[in-house]
Amino acid sequence: MTTHEARRLVIDHLEQAGAAVYELRLRYGLPSIGQLVVMDTATGGAQVVRVLVGKRPGGSRSLYYDKRRVGRCDLVALVDPDDGSIRLTPSSSAAEGVTGV
């Protein structure tokens, strides 16, 4: 599964949940790979979501991802490459009070 396919799955999942989803843009207008801004239409609150594709080492049931690639965000959307399931978890930078916007 490519990052683009994973990002499309996450966007569809969040839009079905009733959120407005936008791509996070960098200072010079280039798209940031795998980062989305999700806005709750009821409250107007926004969160930065980092989309990552998990990996399963041979014979393992656990889904791993590179924690160094998370960066500054509020939520991490971890996509399972086998079945396309999505797990949304708060990032460690959000727990430390660091904002990604």
Side-chain angles (χ1 to χ4, degrees):
M1 174 177 288
T2 65
T3 303
H4 179 71
E5 292 169 340
R7 188 170 51 213
R8 189 72 248 164
L9 281 173
V10 172
I11 289 171
D12 290 341
H13 174 75
L14 292 171
E15 285 178 345
Q16 287 177 357
V21 182
Y22 304 96
E23 272 191 283
L24 180 64
R25 299 281 179 168
L26 296 175
R27 173 188 259 176
Y28 301 107
L30 301 172
S32 179
I33 296 174
Q35 288 196 340
L36 306 169
V37 176
V38 178
M39 189 173 101
D40 184 7
T41 55
T43 63
Q47 293 181 321
V48 176
V49 178
R50 173 77 166 144
V51 179
L52 295 173
V53 179
K55 293 179 179 37
R56 249 181 248 275
S60 176
R61 291 185 178 202
S62 299
L63 192 62
Y64 295 104
Y65 65 98
D66 189 0
K67 291 178 178 59
R68 295 174 294 179
R69 294 188 62 212
V70 171
R72 293 185 177 182
C73 62
D74 299 316
L75 292 173
V76 175
L78 186 60
V79 179
D80 188 343
D82 295 336
D83 60 2
S85 63
I86 300 165
R87 186 176 74 193
L88 291 170
T89 59
S91 71
S92 59
S93 62
E96 296 169 1
V98 178
T99 59
V101 179

